[in-house]
Amino acid sequence: HRDIMSACKRLLAVLRPGRSPLFRRVATWSPVGAAFNARQQRKLDLFHRSNGLFGVPELTCPDGFAAVGERALRETERLVEKACQSLPGIITVKTFDQLSDSLCRVADLADFVKVAHPDPAFREAAERTCVNIGTMVEKLNTNVDLCNSLKNLLDKSDIMASLDPETRRVAELFMFDFEISGIHLSEEKRKEAVNLNVRLLDLNNEFLVGSHLPNKIEKRMLPDHIHHHFSKEGNYIQIGGLHAEATDDLVRELAYRIFLYPNTSLLQTLEELLKCRNKLANLVGYESYANRALKGTMAKSPETVMKFLQLLTDQLSARFNIEPSLYSPFFSLGACMEGLNSLFTELYGVSLMAEEPSAGEVWSEDVRKLAVVHETEGLLGYIYCDFFHRPDKPHQDCHFTIRGGRQLDNGQYQLPVVVLLLSLPLPRKSAPTLLTPGMMENLFHEMGHAMHSMLGRTRYQHVTGTRCATDFAEVPSILMEYFATDHRVLNQFARHYQTGQPLPKSMVTRLCESKKVCGAADTQLQVFYATLDQVFHGKPQDRSTTDILKDLQEKFYGLPYVPNTAWQLRFSHLIGYGAKYYSYLMSRAVASMVWKQCFLKDPLNREMGERYRQEMLAHGGGKEPMLMVEGMLQRRPTVEDFVDALVSDLNPDFETFIMDSEA
């Protein structure tokens, strides 16, 4: 009761006439901008029961995950029986997709909750669900009867010819899942493959958790004057990152050496993980895990990836810096969200609308819910924006699919639901959340993933949105980075949060030029990461992962290896991007080509936006990735084209020339 009365008094104090606001707000923020430029004020709801996370009734408490998982497993049994009994035809593919949807809707939701929910009980329950569903998926991928029901369709050329291209591709993708899981093996070896996959689930989780844990050191081991830079736990100091932006050289050096100090247990986990992946690949008929992972991508093979990386290394050579704090007042979170809303309206006829979540629907009071609405098609889906820092929340910016879109039998469309996870500072009484240029660019990047999910309209959820080849999945998000640093786009939204003054042209120019500074070094660093990933997942080598790292760092990066460090133990992308980390570079090359050929002349061109949606975003993974690139560019690029696109991005005069000619 006292809490309620206190809240009411605070509210009256805010509303009382004559009170000056704590900081001036620009009066022209749109509803979306206003929603993100202030602390969330949830309506006090004393009478309504929780509707559960994401509106799932069972998820009002951690125990609900068991019920949701059990229901999905029962539905799985029903759909497996239906698939095995149905005559070959489109019903086969639809049933497989329903089976995938039933499992993914639980697994994807649990995958998000296990890393982002503030309640440890929810995280633990979600983790158990992920393991249970993952185990079921591996068993299904080696179910001979289920595979035969699909094979019966694929073997009937007349029926396959009558199906639409997307249905045929989805059928082939499901068969590919069977093949890489070892469906062709004897029963004994199929069981071995299942056991290896189940073991990999545990190893993946062990490595992911360990890669993010801080290292501890006794306080007495570090000089007193730098203790305040780090978090403390009793007599220990915890170092959970590299502190690369610290101005004190000693802080950066000690953080590097301590954070990257080898953890023997985690080294053993990584070694076992890589051996287990290689053993699985060999078992199902591949020369290496990289060969298995790259089938179906744009690159196709490890040889193509290494050719791409080596050619890029051969052409790179190191090449103005900006003070981020000077830009931040022009990049309030609300302004950036307005900019995104304006951009999407111009390109696609799509608006972002802030919506009040129901009781229990979100996991933190700071989560915002956006409805994505098309001017003629109506509601396209929902984006949950978990943007602000809180304890125990991952520091990585990422996109999670909670529910994929698909065509339902009743003619309606299952609307996609996604979460965007960032780690931004909370608004203060004196100012809204202010973003550095890097934070702003990351926001645009992650929103690119979200719009890929929203604008895709695939028949099957198995290929919805970002469920496509990894080296294509980053194209829409990286393309958004080009929009984020284009002066015509920045002019639409970048204005001072207090005065409304637009970002001065000279600052816009410096920001665009700063992208070229150290660009070659940044790209070369990504080449090193990608090469390390390829070698780790290639043919096994009779040496430690640290020895491999040391060798490749000298060849592909140039900076010397620091003794007694093991950077690979912090390379968490080895799990989600095993043998595919090169995808960032290849996707950036495609995004660069699309930007220069299609959007550089006019980044707000609606006709080009519609073409981009129809040629690339709409298909998700339902069309072969290189065909989508070819459709957009009207030509099929070569490996050399990819390299040239990345190198040309490092030319500091290219976009400056465009800006000067327009002026």
Side-chain angles (χ1 to χ4, degrees), residues 61 65 101 167 185 205 280 287 289 369 379 387 396 424 635 644:
C61 64
F65 268 105
D101 183 59
T167 300
L185 302 174
N205 187 58
L280 175 63
E287 187 176 355
Y289 185 83
K369 180 182 180 183
L379 182 62
F387 283 175
Q396 284 184 308
L424 304 176
R635 63 186 178 88
D644 290 344

Side-chain angles (χ1 to χ4, degrees), residues 54 67 154 157 164 216 247 263 332 340 364 435 440 449 502 537 557 594:
F54 297 103
L154 293 168
S157 56
D164 63 276
K216 295 181 182 180
T247 56
N263 178 305
S332 69
L340 287 162
S364 172
L435 279 59
M440 180 270 290
H449 283 308
H537 291 99
Y557 192 38
V594 171

Side-chain angles (χ1 to χ4, degrees), residues 207 210-212 215 241-242 255-263 266-267 270 525-533 536 545-550 552-553 557 560-574 581:
F207 186 78
S211 68
H212 291 105
N215 275 341
L242 295 174
Y256 189 95
R257 291 182 179 276
I258 296 169
F259 184 62
L260 299 183
Y261 191 80
N263 178 305
L266 200 58
L267 276 170
L270 177 59
L525 180 60
Q526 294 301 313
V527 171
F528 162 53
Y529 293 165
T531 306
L532 184 69
D533 177 44
F536 276 177
T545 57
T546 302
D547 287 338
I548 294 173
L549 173 100
K550 182 179 179 181
L552 293 178
Q553 184 168 329
Y557 192 38
Y561 166 78
V562 177
N564 294 317
T565 61
W567 178 85
Q568 73 274 23
L569 299 184
R570 302 297 182 178
F571 192 18
S572 59
H573 284 305
L574 285 172
Y581 191 79

Side-chain angles (χ1 to χ4, degrees), residues 27-48:
T28 55
W29 296 128
S30 70
V32 168
F36 284 87
N37 259 0
R39 288 295 296 260
Q40 188 80 356
Q41 298 293 327
R42 296 278 184 230
K43 295 177 181 177
L44 195 62
D45 193 341
L46 301 176
F47 307 105
H48 290 87

Side-chain angles (χ1 to χ4, degrees), residues 202-461:
D202 291 334
L203 290 169
N204 290 347
N205 187 58
E206 283 179 30
F207 186 78
L208 274 178
V209 171
S211 68
H212 291 105
L213 287 177
N215 275 341
K216 295 181 182 180
I217 189 170
E218 291 185 36
K219 288 181 181 179
R220 62 183 180 83
M221 302 296 291
L222 299 183
D224 292 345
H225 73 278
I226 67 169
H227 284 188
H228 67 281
H229 288 278
F230 311 109
S231 59
K232 303 174 183 65
E233 185 183 84
N235 292 323
Y236 290 89
I237 283 178
Q238 291 193 119
I239 299 181
L242 295 174
H243 291 258
E245 296 183 3
T247 56
D248 190 319
D249 294 352
L250 181 60
V251 170
R252 295 197 304 274
E253 180 181 354
L254 289 174
Y256 189 95
R257 291 182 179 276
I258 296 169
F259 184 62
L260 299 183
Y261 191 80
N263 178 305
T264 303
S265 176
L266 200 58
L267 276 170
Q268 292 172 348
T269 298
L270 177 59
E271 298 279 0
E272 185 181 353
L273 188 155
L274 295 175
K275 288 177 182 176
C276 201
R277 282 180 169 178
N278 184 70
K279 187 174 181 179
L280 175 63
N282 293 162
L283 183 65
V284 299
Y286 290 89
E287 187 176 355
S288 70
Y289 185 83
N291 289 89
R292 178 181 183 265
L294 295 175
K295 189 174 181 181
T297 63
M298 287 196 292
K300 303 295 186 187
S301 70
E303 291 75 22
T304 301
V305 173
M306 291 305 293
K307 177 183 177 183
F308 167 60
L309 296 174
Q310 187 62 61
L311 282 173
L312 186 53
T313 295
D314 293 343
Q315 292 202 31
L316 288 174
S317 59
R319 299 243 177 233
F320 188 108
N321 212 352
I322 62 170
E323 174 50 53
S325 63
L326 297 178
Y327 286 80
S328 294
F330 297 89
F331 293 143
S332 69
L333 179 55
C336 294
M337 293 304 294
E338 279 193 6
L340 287 162
N341 190 31
S342 175
L343 178 61
F344 296 150
T345 301
E346 294 274 4
L347 290 178
Y348 315 120
V350 164
S351 298
L352 305 176
M353 297 186 177
E355 191 171 292
E356 184 72 21
S358 60
E361 186 178 349
V362 296
W363 48 100
S364 172
E365 66 175 8
D366 293 311
V367 174
R368 271 67 160 175
K369 180 182 180 183
L370 294 178
V372 181
V373 183
H374 190 272
E375 59 191 17
T376 60
E377 299 171 31
L379 182 62
L380 297 180
Y382 293 101
I383 303 172
Y384 290 84
C385 301
D386 188 353
F387 283 175
F388 302 108
H389 172 77
R390 63 176 177 270
D392 297 326
K393 180 181 175 182
H395 286 279
Q396 284 184 308
D397 298 342
C398 42
H399 161 276
F400 290 85
T401 298
I402 302 300
R403 183 177 71 201
R406 70 183 180 104
Q407 192 66 51
L408 301 174
D409 290 337
N410 62 9
Q412 295 183 330
Y413 196 79
Q414 176 173 293
L415 297 178
V417 176
V418 305
V419 174
L420 294 187
L421 202 67
L422 303 178
S423 193
L424 304 176
L426 282 160
R428 305 191 311 273
K429 289 182 179 181
S430 59
T433 294
L434 303 179
L435 279 59
T436 64
M439 291 176 181
M440 180 270 290
E441 200 171 308
N442 285 347
L443 172 62
F444 272 63
H445 178 104
E446 297 304 333
M447 194 60 79
H449 283 308
M451 294 308 292
H452 195 181
S453 296
M454 295 296 112
L455 292 172
R457 275 304 181 262
T458 54
R459 179 180 294 185
Y460 305 99
Q461 71 81 37

Side-chain angles (χ1 to χ4, degrees), residues 43-76:
K43 295 177 181 177
L44 195 62
D45 193 341
L46 301 176
F47 307 105
H48 290 87
R49 297 179 60 186
S50 170
N51 291 321
L53 286 174
F54 297 103
V56 178
E58 292 88 347
L59 297 184
T60 58
C61 64
D63 291 343
F65 268 105
V68 170
E70 184 59 36
R71 186 176 65 210
L73 295 179
R74 287 198 304 270
E75 179 72 356
T76 295

